[in-house]
Amino acid sequence: MNNKYIFGGIIIVVFLGIMGYLFTQTNIKYEEDFSKIVESSGTIKATGEWVKEKNYNIDNSKNIFSFYMKDFNGTELKVVYSGAIPNNFESSTSVVVTGKYQNGEFHASDILTKCPSKYETQYEIKETNS
Amino acid sequence: MAGNILITFALMASVFSIIMYYLTYKGNTNTLKFARIGYHATAISVIAASAFLLHAILTHQYQFNYVFNYSNSDLSTGMLMSTFWAGQEGSFMLWLLLTSISGLVLLEYTSKRGDLEERVMMIFTLAVAFLIVMVSPGLKNPFAFIWSDPTFIDVKNINQSFLSLPFLQEFMFSDQSTGQSLIKMNEQLVALLATKGISVDQFIVFGKGLNPLLNNFWMQIHPPMLFIGFSMATVPFAFAFAALIKNEYTDWVKQSLPWLLAGMMILGLAIMLGGYWAYNILGWGGYWGWDPVENSSLVPWIVGVAGIHTLLIQKKTQSDGSAGRFVKTNLILSIMTYLLVLYSTFLTRSGILGEASVHSFVAPGMMVYTLLIFFIGTFTLLGFGAIIYRWKYLEKTFTAEENVLSKELGIFTGAVALIASAIIIVSGTSAPIFGTAVELSFYNELALPIAIIMGILNGLSLLLRWKKTPEKSLLESLKIPTIISVIVTALIVFIGGINDFMAILFTLSAVFMLTVNIDVARKIIKGKKLFIGAYIAHVGIALFMLGVIATGWFSLEKQVKLEEGVTQNILGYDLTFNGFTPINNGQKYKFNIAVEKDGSSDVVSPVMYISSFNNSLMRDPDLLNKFTRDLYVSPVSYEEGSRNGTNNSAGTKVTIEKGKSTKFNNSVIKFTKFNFPADAMAAMQSGEDFFIGAQLEIEYNGKKYVSEPKMESRAGERSYVGTQITDANLNIEMLNLDASGKVELSLSQIDQADTEAAQEVSLASLWIEVSVKPFIILVWIGTLTMVLGFFISIIRRTKEANK
């Protein structure tokens, strides 16, 4: 057997093995339907919109930022995040939170705000004749 | 129009050039001249089209959708130029431009090397042609007019003197949610304007502007660098393909090496510039976030670097006409480097990663999506098709065995480790295609052991000899570097207090790599100085790794509230918040924080501002660079101080609907109606001063009182005026009013409010996130050292390629 296949093969096999294992361990499920999040226990990436009417709350002393998010059905979800409010949260078109659902709240470890930015040019607006 | 004519002409010229090169390759002798003319015409048209776009940007020709969407008249010339690549259309254009220019150099380079030109340029021009199609009308075309798709434009972007045009009313719309007035820009309006002799660029006088996140110095450098790297990655593919079609595998190695080295040097530098940008300005808090966009440019770099190593083995092992070792590996890696650039573009531009990235992506439409797939598909078929076609020959001719203790095998195994890391990153980044994703720990946990293996393999390979190393001599040469590394590692572990096993192993690996490379470099510098490049690059990587250990395991972070004038000790620094100063004509605020440590004092000034681009709060961090550690301060929020003490802190918050009442401390408070003066509405719209009152009826001890707290607007600043009813011991503060018929009040007792007011003179305070990042400078020094090493190697390999 060729030495390079043995050495190369070992590295590839070992790391692909570890990768496969870690893949299942660190797997994040996408969920856009918030009613399903309530039932799940794993790490979830949820996409929705910030409920502007309910504002957001910043507890600086505990370093907690919380807000309400709603999905396409309008189902609301309270999101709690340990950390500062992300840049341009207010102007976000949609919010992607990663975390786990516990005790009636979604504990986010990461918040992405998607803003009309460099790769977006569409200016969406309903046509309403004035 | 001129832009699109140039693009169309470039496309025709490139197709012509491909055909002419193909005919030359097939043996025609008189077609080469035409092929060259064709390529030059392509490149010149692309350069002219780019100049046209740049000119349109610099002269604010907002009739172009692209110019309107990404630039504005208030940008400095440098930033204005960088809006060229601020959007998707422009960045494809930039990629095309840089690829075309690389092609001019490549044509010159290959034309001196026999029949290489037609074989290489044929496939290279095909890549150029694909990019031209990408920016063609209907796809990602930067020359589209603003009215080609009806667009809504905010009235404030319009030349105000034209607002009185009577027909404009028909095109006016208003957005209910934001109250903006918009003008629908379509062909009809353009035609009407033309009848008045008004051109669109006279009509629209402001653009939407550049996203504030992109509006900084690095925007001018990072994207062009990245695209130079992407453009140059096309070359190794073309060389590998050229070798395959000729079935001759010796010369392409030395010809391709300088290109691959240069491409990877620039790509590597560009990636880390992105990291520096993210760290210093965007406030990511670190230089690397495993963001899909970062990952997708890192993967081609890793594979390209693996290719550099195996190409070097092939070159080294070539003698008397034999092609050398690892022919197959080198062909595959050269082809993969470019395919991964294309795949990276596909991932980041197709909208597939929409929910996974910080960068906001929008699906570019079915046409572009299909074209991207077709682009990748074509090059995959060409690349791997050629390999499969030649596979039997390759298998028969180039199969060799490496000795266990040989430099060849050591480097090869290192290259495999690099490829393993590339596979891991690609898998994690591509997961969103299959509707799933991975946590960041996936990358961190896998990258760590691979980095450890690579550091050790690198040191080991340098100690091994070509072909075969006697065990004894290996042990002999290992002795000193090992002893030094163990001692240095022990010192670092002891002084730094590292107690994580993997971190210790990683330190040992990095120090071992550093020691061996410095040792080899020390010996070489006396002889052939140009041979030192590789070792300098490796020293850079080792320093980089040490920087990663320091920042990865020893960064400290804390969120704190700084009250104005009060000094606090945070993570070993004495921080004092000294108020803010408006900068940029009051558009931004600089928050001044005095930093004292060990007798030296500095000021850090993070910035916060509301961006008019997206109406949201932007925070720019500031940092204090010291050699051993960075103090990184990012602003979180600012609370104004209250000197009068009645700042709703003491009260009970209530919301009352119109006609309803609430009880507070024996009083019944009823909200009867708003006092909305007739002129308030008009004043509100024109931005003049006005007030709105909330009429309240208060019942206390059987008596009725009337009170009216107000919301006032003076010079655009809103404030609330509270009232007091002394008999009822009632203090009313207005917090908010809602036009739908609600008021929010803060109710308190006067006597208590007074006493609390005396105590509650609160200071202005600033919330900040402070972090201390030890030796992050090693990351930057390591990167620059690596680039220097690459640069020296490029000089050496270019000289060799000219032999």
Side-chain angles (χ1 to χ4, degrees), chain B residues 547-604:
Chain B
V548 171
I549 296 166
T551 50
W553 274 271
F554 296 98
S555 288
L556 300 168
E557 210 178 277
K558 205 175 177 186
Q559 178 157 343
V560 289
K561 179 187 183 180
L562 293 179
E563 291 185 321
E564 190 166 354
V566 181
T567 303
Q568 276 187 69
N569 188 290
I570 313 291
L571 306 174
Y573 293 81
D574 282 329
L575 304 182
T576 320
F577 170 47
N578 291 325
F580 61 84
T581 23
I583 51 172
N584 285 29
N585 300 324
Q587 287 170 2
K588 298 183 178 185
Y589 296 94
K590 206 170 85 172
F591 294 84
N592 306 309
I593 301 164
V595 182
E596 291 217 23
K597 185 181 164 74
D598 309 329
S600 73
S601 51
D602 298 275
V603 174
V604 287

